[in-house]
Each structure stands twice: as C-alpha cells, then as structure tokens.
Amino acid sequence: MEERMETGQEATLQTLAERVLEEAKQRGATAVEVNTHSGEGLSVEVRLAEVDTLEYHRDQGMGLTVYYGQKKGHASTADLSEKAVLETVEAACRIAKYTAEDDYAGLADAELMATEFPDLDLYHPWGITADEAIALARTCENAARDYSPLITNADGTGVTTYRGFSVYANTHGFMGTNRGSRHSISCGMVAQEGDSMQRDYWYSTARLSEQLETPEAIGKKAAERTVKRLHGQPVSTTTAPVLYLPQIARSLISHFTSAISGSAQYNKASFFLDALGEKVFPEFVRLYEQPFIPQALGSACFDKEGVALKNKDLVAGGIIQSYLLGSYSARKLGMQSTGNAGGTHNLTLESTGQSLEALLKEMGTGLLVSELIGNSVNGITGDYSRGASGFWVENGEIQYPVEEVTIAGNLKDMYQGIVAIGNDVDYQGSTRTGSILIEAMTIAGK
Amino acid sequence: MNTNPLHVAQAAILDPAGLSEADLNRVFATFNQTSIDLADIYFQSSRTESWSLEDSIVKTGAYSIEQGFGVRAVSGEQTGFAYSDEITLGALLESARAARAISKSGKSQKAKVWHRHDNPQRLYLPSDPLASLVDTEKIALLHLADKTARAESSYVQQVIPTLSASYEVILIADNEGRLVADVRPLVRMNVSVIVDKGGQRESASFGGGGRFGLDWFTREGRAESYAREAVRQALVNVEAVAAPAGSMDVVLGNGWPGILLHEAVGHGLEGDFNRKGTSAFAGRIGEQVASRGVTVVDDGTLENRRGSLSVDDEGTPTQCTTLIEDGILKGYMQDKLNARLMSAEPTGNGRRQSYSYLPMPRMTNTYMHAGDYAPEEIIASVDKGLYAVSFGGGQVDITSGKFVFSSSEAYLIENGKLGKPVKGATLIGDGPSAMTRISMIGNDLQLDSGVGMCGKAGQSVPVGVGQPTLRINDLTVGGTA
C-alpha cells in the first residue's frame, strides 16, 4: 500500500514535468527544463518535558526555465493547480521576451546527461508517530537535564523526519527522479552558574533513522557542551594557532568551494582567480568529491541540469584540480560542466591521521574554536574576520572557556597555514572533515 | 481600484477557492470540545518577480507564486500546526485535525459569527508593485544603474543591478471570529559592483526599497544614486589597510549601523526568549541596561517602510513599542502566544515568513532616538579608535548576550581626525554591557534605506533599523593589525 502510494507520487511529478515541457514548447520555447518536487514531514519540539510545537509539513512545487534561442526566463510555483501551473509557464515565457540574447545560455550539452541511475539507497521513511517522536525528544532532553545541576533551562529538543521526491526533466529527453529521506534529533540546553548563562546544542542527522545517534547520547553531549562554556572570557589580543573543531571546520571548505565556483571565476570575484593548477594548500591536502556513496546525505546520480556525476579531486597535492561548474559558467569560461550545477556532492577533506588530543598537543598554546558567529568573509580578497568562542589551550591542555573574541586573517594564508587535519571526522553533512589546525591567526579580545 | 484589504483578500483567496464563512465555521468546529486557547488560519497569496543584469545584459528574470494556508492551534504553551499549498475546504479540515492533536479534551465552543475587522491603520497602498512599471521600464531601470556605475569610474569591472517586487495578500481568521486582511507591496533595488584598480579588486553594494511601487526607484535619481554609492564604497575599500585588532572606542555612523541595536538588544527583547528565560535580558524590566539618554523603540507604524505592517501576521495592529527609555528597560516585543503566557498585551510583533511557518515575536523597524551631539563633535572626541559607517550583517547569541556585526566601510580615528579606510572586520561585544558604554549620542537620527532582512529560527522577514551617530567605548574590533 505504502509503496504504491509513493510510486503514485513519483508518477504524478513525472506527468506534471512532461506536461510543463509540452505547454512551454507549444508557446514557442526552443528548449525547456523543469523541476517538480513534493515531500512531507513531521517535526516536534519538546521543552522542559512539555510539548512546545507539533508541526506537519507538506511541500510541493514546480519551477521551469524556458529558452527562446539564447533568451531565457524562469518561473516557479508552490500551487500546482491547473490555473497556477499555466500562469507559471506563461510568466516564464513572458520573462524570456525581455531577457537579453546570451550566448552562454541554454541546457547543459545533451551528451553530458546522466545515463546510469544506480540505486544510492537514499530513501528510508521513518514510520514514527507524533507520540513516538515526542517520547524520543523527552528521552533526549531528560538525558541532558540529568547530566548536571548546572543545566537550568532548555532551548528546545526536536525530532524531525522528512521524505520527498523530485523530478528533473528537459527537452533533450532527459528525465531523472530523486527520492530521499532525512531525519534528525537536536537538543538545545541552557546552563547557568552565578551571572554566567550559556546555551549550546548537539544534533544528529541521517537518511536512515537507525543511523541517528541515540537520544541519550545527543542529550548528554548537548549538556556537556553547554556546561563547558560557563564563565567564558575574552583573551588578550594576540597571534596564535587556531584549531577548528569539525562542525565549524566545514565552513573553511565552503569558503574554498565558493572561491572555485564558476560564477566567482567568471565575475572575477574570487580570491583564487584563475588559480586552476596552482598550489594553494600544503602538499598533503586532498579534497575530493564522491557523489555515489550509498545512504550519504550528499549523494546523487545527476546534477541540477541532468549532468552525469563522477568521482573527482578538487584539490590534490595541495593543487587546485577542478573548478565547480554548471553549464552556464563552463561556457563562459570556455570549459566543460563539472556536474556541479547546484553544488557539490559529498566532499571529503583527507585526514592527516591525528586524533583531536594529538592536534591539541601539536598546537601547544592557542585557541580551540567550537563556535563561530557573524560572517565577515570577503570572497574577493579572502580577508576573514569572525566572532569566535571556544577554549584557551596551553601545552596541549584546555585551560578555560573563551568568548567575545574574533579570529582574523586572510584565507589564502590560512589555507597555506594548515598544519594538520584530524581523524575526528564529522559525517553529519555533505562535507566531511576532521578538526583543522591553522598555524597562526590574529585573535582580538580584551 | 478596490483598496479595502478585506475585499482584496476575499477576491484573491476565498472566492477562487469557493470558501464561505460557513466553511470557515466548519474548520473551527474541529476545535470544539478541545482545550484550545487560540487558533487561527493564515491564508497567503503572493507573487514575486525579480530581474538582474550581468555584463550589461539581462541575465535573469524570475517569477514565483507562493500560495497556501497554515492552521495553528494553541493549548497552554503547546502549539499544533499544519499547512498546505492547496487552498480547499478538504485541506483545511485535514490540517485543522492535525493541528488539534496537541490539545486535550475541553470546553465546547460556539459556532462563530464572523466579524470582518476593517483595520483603520493603512501604512501603504494596497497596490501591486509588479504592475507598477511595465517590463521594458523595469529593464530600463537596471540598464540605467549599470550605465551610471560604469560611467562613475573606469575601474568598474562588473555591475550586477537587481530589482525585485512582491505582492502579498494575507487573510487571518481566528477563533474569536475575527477576519483581518492586509495587502502588502514590497520592492527592493540593489546595485553590486566589482572594481579592479591595478589588480586590487573589491566589491560593494548599495540599494533601497520599501512598501510601494517600483516607480519609486525612477524618481529623484534613486537608481543612479545606488550605483554611485556602490562604486564609491568599492573604491574606498580598494585603498583600505588592515583593520586594527583589539578593544577600542568606536564611533558608529547613523542609519544602517543601527544593526547594532537589532543585534545587541533587539533580539534579546523578543517575548519568546524572555518567557523561556533564555535571554540575557530576561527578568530585567525596570533595570538600567543602557546609558542614560538611550531610548530605543520598535515601530511598525512608519508609513511605507520595509519593516512596517498595518497588522502583524496574527491580525494585531502594529504599534510603536518603547523597549528602552533613558537607559531603563521598559518592555518586550510580543506575539499573542507569548503575551498571553507572560500576562502582557500583544504588541503587533507576531510575524512569520509565510503560511508554512509558525508566527513568533519579531522586530519591525527598530531604532534609537536622537541625542544632542553633532556627529563631527563625536568623531573629534576620540583619540584613537574606529569610525564605522557601513555594515554587512550581524548575529547574536541571545543567551550569553554576545553579538557581532561586520563593518564594510570604516576609517581609523587618530587624535579626533578621520584617517585611512580599513578593511572589513567583525566587531564583537556583550549586548547588555555594550549598551551601557554608549557615551555620546548624535543629533542625526536616520533610518536605513530599506534593505534589511532578519533571520530567526530559519525564518526571514523584512525589517528596518536606524540610529543617530553613536560613540561606544571599548568595543572589540576583529582586524589583523
């Protein structure tokens, strides 16, 4: 019964996609691409043992891009009634009349379309009822509140589950379907002692509910992280090594992928402009993309334009091996799409093998950063300045919690200054990395 | 043109769906025999259009339709919520049954006699900004900005002007039998430029907007002024030296730097965080939380402003709420749920991104009243410090009170005089204590140009900020020098 309903949902989205292609072609479009999606989910939040919110989600939508020769228009709708769908097709066609002839516009080349669709095992609905989700959230929060008497308040503990389908089709005759699920448990706590009050959280997310960390472990970790932050203080302004924990080290990779994205390159808005083939990291740095990992959060068979994906290195031997291109930016740069329209699929920064403890020892004296706040990162110059909190480390040992400081530098120097990448890899996202140790940054404080 | 929002909403939402008042009664009857304290249906129908140029040609044009409803049922502190993109009686009944799941059995409720509440507060014209210019005029406006920026300096290498307009009709039906509607135009224009001066590249952007038609940008040279301002900022930043690192006295310019107030005190004074006791300002009403002379308000009633609303997303008329008066904490910003639980009145701050999200207390236009000092006098008072006039964005940790905001145009102050421009840097402070170190307040209150967007718990809403020139002692500047 369940399986039949899902097949029905996919078929409805496929039929709608075909219909939209046809409607746009009838209005004279020379090429069309369309995306349709639908999904549903449940989320509950519990706070201090009481249910705070219970939400049922149901999303759907359709978006199309039409081309009249080299002119294009885009429109989308969340209302899939006949009237709204036709209005949306009309709007895309109208807009195309006013956009300019753009030599680089168009569908991705037909020969790049994906032809193989291995089952990546990404769809595992969690048949959890609202009551069961509430019970899990309570278990998680209880574990956090039992951890320490210093846990005095709560920010909310949530359980969410979502499953959805999407279809991408274009007038090359390509049609691809994605189905996926995503579940998570998150726990936010508040600790207080004297006049110091702090919050922190922990979470777990996965495509299979069985792969989530236990609610008890999540609650305990959330509480532990919160209590550890009590009585944070600024350090004196100094220059020192900085160690990013994995959850925030990921942001250093995203600044890099922005810099090698097609639009940053063709707009000359990158601090790594024309840097393909340049050595911008130490020799040991390797960053690679693996789109086909079964059950992984970032896995897919084709990109947003239907282009086939492949395993590839973005950085090897510290040298930039590939930009991240969709068809538009590829044509603008005189290159070929790398299958990255819409982003990357499972990036991994190769570890240099050390544990977090070993990295602390290697750092000696410096700042272990557990949270970043604000985002003063200049994508053109690489100038970097962000608010930070974490722990001051001396002789490889954590001394006291730190807050109200900033860490600053230039990303080009920071990347060259990577000393080590830990084996404490965080798998809870489509970018995987361990802790990253950077040789020196300016820390501004009192 | 029919300018009564209730009539517009009837025609845009209820009539196409064939929904009558009797149908709404059937939906609310779902909550009969339950412990529901508060229930509402939020209907929304919106159209958004955006255009942009790149390399002096129209790069993208996009149009989107967002339409649906959300049903909420509140019992005590508990909220049940369900939404749908499909406005039909069937979907309404199904969502109401799902939302009801949090309630226990309770009192019976009478069938409603619907009262169409014609809100007298009209802060903007209920016109459709998508139709305020014809498409060729929209494109011409973008080309004008592009040409102006390129003519401004030969160092300009890329210009990306964008124009967006949205037209939103909302209708709220609540368990007290009220039907309230609002028709909300919102437009925004932005010009981003990239300059290259001898291999030194920098970018900057500037723009404006509000609740009116796109024709606003064609008047008083606005589109051109955004282009020139973006080029000016980018050229200043090309010459910028490393920003200083450490604690120093900071002078903030007027207008957009009011983002300080939004982060340092605004979020901390939203009712939900204070009801839960997770804000650094919780339980501090009546205490001095800022220097004498500091008065901060949240005012949703300013005509045509980006952050203004005739009624909030729960149907409560907006108002001007005093948050801090002469340094003393006076009040919080409330939605219905938190006001009820804190025995306070709603302040017209219940806002949501769309029908698919729950409302919560949010800011509208948050600003500080003017003081007595001339801005020059304030700069001249600083021996060694920073003068910051433009900012990118900011963020706050409500619980610890630590906030940041990122400067995008700033200058060193040496012996009371402006020095070299410095690169963008994060400024970090502690909200409750930073506000007590405001030592001078300028006489030049200004609101921002209408570009603010605020994110909270995954929901974005348009907001406004403003302030006079301010001096704050001992703020940490996150540069490298």
Side-chain angles (χ1 to χ4, degrees):
Chain A
M1 182 66 203
E2 174 78 345
E3 186 58 34
R4 238 190 11 243
M5 191 192 79
E6 286 159 6
T7 313
Q9 254 173 301
E10 286 188 25
T12 305
L13 293 176
Q14 288 166 352
T15 307
L16 176 63
E18 278 165 357
R19 168 87 200 283
V20 169
L21 292 180
E22 204 45 50
E23 288 288 345
K25 279 197 286 189
Q26 275 177 22
R27 285 167 178 75
T30 50
V32 192
E33 54 190 328
V34 58
N35 188 288
T36 56
H37 65 91
S38 73
E40 58 189 66
L42 166 73
S43 69
V44 302
E45 187 164 293
V46 161
R47 188 176 159 270
L48 302 177
E50 296 295 330
V51 177
D52 210 32
T53 58
L54 164 59
E55 299 187 37
Y56 292 91
H57 306 276
R58 206 167 59 182
D59 303 292
Q60 56 176 19
M62 180 280 285
L64 82 159
T65 304
V66 300
Y67 299 88
Y68 284 75
Q70 297 307 114
K71 299 167 123 205
K72 76 169 182 183
H74 177 78
S76 64
T77 178
D79 177 358
L80 298 186
S81 66
E82 173 83 5
K83 181 171 164 277
V85 167
L86 291 179
E87 182 185 338
T88 306
V89 173
E90 294 281 357
C93 296
R94 171 177 64 82
I95 283 166
K97 291 199 179 71
Y98 296 99
T99 55
E101 294 276 347
D102 186 339
D103 291 345
Y104 311 106
L107 302 178
D109 298 346
E111 63 270 21
L112 296 179
M113 294 296 110
T115 52
E116 284 171 41
F117 304 92
D119 181 7
L120 299 174
D121 199 18
L122 308 177
Y123 186 75
H124 290 272
W126 188 5
I128 191 171
T129 65
D131 285 340
E132 288 164 349
I134 289 164
L136 270 187
R138 285 201 173 114
T139 305
C140 180
E141 197 194 48
N142 283 340
R145 294 172 74 190
D146 288 346
Y147 174 81
S148 160
L150 297 176
I151 295 289
T152 54
N153 202 343
D155 231 5
T157 295
V159 174
T160 71
T161 171
Y162 184 84
R163 60 183 178 137
F165 305 90
S166 68
V167 169
Y168 170 82
N170 63 34
T171 47
H172 288 324
F174 177 89
M175 181 177 287
T177 304
N178 291 311
R179 38 160 62 188
S181 55
R182 190 176 181 127
H183 321 293
S184 68
I185 303 176
S186 64
C187 177
M189 299 310 294
V190 174
Q192 191 162 13
E193 188 175 44
D195 57 6
S196 178
M197 181 161 71
Q198 295 288 345
R199 48 140 279 281
D200 212 330
Y201 70 98
W202 190 247
Y203 75 101
S204 176
T205 182
R207 289 193 181 271
L208 281 73
S209 58
E210 306 90 273
Q211 291 176 356
L212 293 171
E213 289 175 33
T214 66
E216 291 85 353
I218 294 163
K220 183 166 175 265
K221 187 119 186 227
E224 187 184 349
R225 283 167 57 95
T226 307
V227 169
K228 272 188 182 169
R229 291 178 71 165
L230 283 169
H231 308 294
Q233 52 176 294
V235 292
S236 297
T237 301
T238 183
T239 298
V242 172
L243 179 57
Y244 286 70
L245 283 172
Q247 294 72 36
I248 51 161
R250 197 177 273 137
S251 66
L252 293 174
I253 299 172
S254 86
H255 298 316
F256 173 73
T257 54
S258 297
I260 61 165
S261 75
S263 63
Q265 291 293 325
Y266 76 70
N267 277 323
K268 302 197 186 325
S270 168
F271 58 88
F272 281 149
L273 189 60
D274 300 325
L276 196 62
E278 278 180 30
K279 187 161 175 292
V280 301
F281 291 97
E283 188 130 12
F284 60 80
V285 172
R286 177 175 176 232
L287 177 66
Y288 55 97
E289 187 180 24
Q290 295 171 295
F292 310 121
I293 304 174
Q295 303 179 349
L297 289 164
S299 295
C301 297
F302 53 91
D303 79 353
K304 250 177 84 180
E305 300 179 314
V307 172
L309 302 181
K310 53 178 191 286
N311 289 327
K312 64 170 178 283
D313 284 353
L314 299 183
V315 176
I319 295 168
I320 300 179
Q321 306 291 325
S322 173
Y323 288 149
L324 295 170
L325 308 176
S327 65
Y328 184 84
S329 51
R331 288 185 196 117
K332 249 184 136 135
L333 293 166
M335 303 173 95
Q336 196 164 63
S337 170
T338 59
N340 292 107
T344 59
H345 303 90
N346 301 323
L347 286 187
T348 301
L349 183 65
E350 198 164 80
S351 168
T352 52
Q354 299 94 321
S355 65
L356 179 60
E357 290 68 33
L359 291 180
L360 287 167
K361 288 271 179 294
E362 190 160 345
M363 174 164 78
T365 296
L367 185 66
L368 171 66
V369 181
S370 59
E371 190 168 282
L372 292 169
I373 176 171
N375 200 3
S376 182
V377 180
N378 186 324
I380 295 188
T381 60
D383 290 322
Y384 179 102
S385 165
R386 300 189 70 179
S389 52
F391 303 89
W392 188 249
V393 175
E394 281 172 22
N395 302 317
E397 302 286 338
I398 288 176
Q399 303 296 310
Y400 55 86
V402 172
E403 65 177 359
E404 208 181 335
V405 299
T406 60
I407 53 175
N410 185 285
L411 283 166
K412 287 187 278 191
D413 302 329
M414 289 159 62
Y415 290 144
Q416 290 286 8
I418 292 177
V419 176
I421 299 152
N423 63 10
D424 51 341
V425 179
D426 178 18
Y427 290 96
Q428 312 219 48
S430 70
T431 297
R432 303 163 170 203
T433 178
S435 295
I436 298 179
L437 176 58
I438 293 179
E439 197 171 19
M441 291 181 72
T442 305
I443 302 166
K446 64 191 176 201
Chain B
M1 189 177 71
N2 193 333
T3 60
N4 184 320
L6 279 164
H7 298 165
V8 176
Q10 174 84 35
I13 294 166
L14 296 180
D15 290 348
L19 289 172
S20 65
E21 290 188 0
D23 292 331
L24 295 180
N25 262 327
R26 282 184 63 191
V27 178
F28 279 92
T30 310
F31 305 124
N32 205 1
Q33 307 288 346
T34 67
S35 60
I36 300 298
D37 300 307
L38 159 66
D40 55 18
I41 311 172
Y42 178 90
F43 294 95
Q44 179 191 349
S45 169
S46 54
R47 303 280 184 277
T48 303
E49 187 183 272
S50 61
W51 298 91
S52 72
L53 295 194
E54 215 173 87
D55 292 329
S56 304
I57 63 172
V58 181
K59 166 76 188 303
T60 56
Y63 178 84
S64 70
I65 301 174
E66 200 176 8
Q67 180 166 306
F69 68 84
V71 180
R72 168 175 71 147
V74 179
S75 175
E77 296 191 23
Q78 311 190 356
T79 303
F81 180 59
Y83 62 87
S84 170
D85 313 293
E86 197 188 350
I87 304 181
T88 61
L89 179 59
L92 279 163
L93 289 169
E94 191 189 327
S95 298
R97 282 192 289 269
R100 166 183 79 176
I102 46 99
S103 69
K104 300 168 193 75
S105 61
K107 55 193 181 285
S108 72
Q109 303 188 356
K110 277 184 261 167
K112 309 264 164 295
V113 177
W114 291 98
H115 169 61
R116 291 178 179 248
H117 183 76
D118 196 359
N119 176 38
Q121 180 160 276
R122 302 273 169 84
L123 301 174
Y124 27 80
L125 288 174
S127 57
D128 179 359
L130 278 67
S132 57
L133 291 180
V134 299
D135 291 338
T136 48
E137 290 172 320
K138 296 171 193 167
I139 307 301
L141 193 57
L142 293 172
H143 280 298
L144 175 64
D146 179 74
K147 285 205 184 83
T148 307
R150 290 180 193 275
E152 192 68 10
S153 162
S154 58
Y155 299 123
V156 172
Q157 176 191 280
Q158 179 64 290
V159 184
I160 305 177
T162 58
L163 194 62
S164 69
S166 79
Y167 176 65
E168 186 174 281
V169 181
I170 64 141
L171 177 71
I172 301 148
D174 69 20
N175 62 323
E176 283 163 27
R178 290 192 316 158
L179 274 175
V180 186
D182 197 15
V183 178
R184 300 167 173 173
L186 187 66
V187 299
R188 178 168 173 186
M189 182 170 188
N190 193 71
V191 184
S192 292
V193 302
I194 298 171
V195 297
D196 186 334
K197 191 172 179 183
Q200 288 282 91
R201 287 189 313 279
E202 264 294 354
S203 67
S205 68
F206 196 79
R211 296 195 178 278
F212 29 67
L214 289 167
D215 51 311
W216 193 74
F217 299 116
T218 65
R219 292 198 298 273
E220 296 176 28
R222 290 192 178 95
E224 297 97 309
S225 71
Y226 299 158
R228 288 193 194 101
E229 176 59 16
V231 173
R232 187 194 64 75
Q233 276 192 30
L235 291 174
V236 165
N237 283 331
V238 165
E239 308 296 334
V241 298
S247 174
M248 64 196 69
D249 297 343
V250 175
V251 177
L252 299 172
N254 65 352
W256 182 236
I259 198 167
L260 161 85
L261 306 172
H262 181 100
E263 305 297 353
V265 295
H267 280 296
L269 298 180
E270 290 168 340
D272 46 355
F273 300 123
N274 288 283
R275 172 186 47 101
K276 294 173 181 173
T278 57
S279 165
F281 287 99
R284 298 188 62 184
I285 295 248
E287 288 182 27
Q288 184 171 353
V289 296
S291 302
R292 288 282 162 177
V294 171
T295 293
V296 180
V297 300
D298 182 81
D299 189 352
T301 71
L302 305 171
E303 277 190 11
N304 297 329
R305 300 291 314 181
R306 183 174 166 84
S308 298
L309 293 173
S310 297
V311 290
D312 72 3
D313 294 327
E314 297 179 313
T316 308
T318 55
Q319 63 183 50
C320 179
T321 305
T322 301
L323 305 176
I324 296 173
E325 187 173 19
D326 198 18
I328 308 295
L329 181 60
K330 286 290 175 184
Y332 301 124
M333 290 166 278
Q334 298 286 10
D335 62 358
K336 282 183 174 179
L337 168 70
N338 290 286
R340 189 169 49 80
L341 295 171
M342 292 178 80
S343 303
E345 288 298 314
T347 56
N349 290 89
R351 303 184 64 186
R352 61 207 294 174
Q353 178 174 311
S354 77
Y355 64 89
S356 61
Y357 294 88
L358 278 168
M360 55 184 159
R362 301 297 296 262
M363 284 174 262
T364 59
N365 304 294
T366 313
Y367 60 92
M368 185 189 294
H369 285 180
D372 297 327
Y373 290 97
E376 308 76 49
E377 212 178 337
I378 298 177
I379 293 167
S381 75
V382 175
D383 281 341
K384 196 170 184 310
L386 191 76
Y387 176 52
V389 289
S390 189
F391 284 85
Q395 199 180 329
V396 63
D397 178 329
I398 297 299
T399 306
S400 70
K402 305 299 175 277
F403 70 95
V404 293
F405 53 143
S406 311
S407 73
S408 54
E409 183 184 353
Y411 303 83
L412 295 170
I413 306 177
E414 276 155 5
N415 301 319
K417 296 207 163 39
L418 289 189
K420 287 184 177 161
V422 298
K423 290 172 183 277
T426 291
L427 276 62
I428 191 164
D430 173 72
S433 65
M435 295 300 288
T436 63
R437 295 199 305 274
I438 292 177
S439 56
M440 295 172 94
I441 303 172
N443 56 14
D444 56 345
L445 167 64
Q446 189 183 306
L447 299 177
D448 74 283
S449 62
V451 296
M453 193 57 115
C454 166
K456 172 177 170 184
Q459 294 195 46
S460 291
V461 296
V463 294
V465 297
Q467 68 174 31
T469 298
L470 293 181
R471 173 176 165 165
I472 304 183
N473 297 344
D474 301 325
L475 203 56
T476 299
V477 177
T480 55

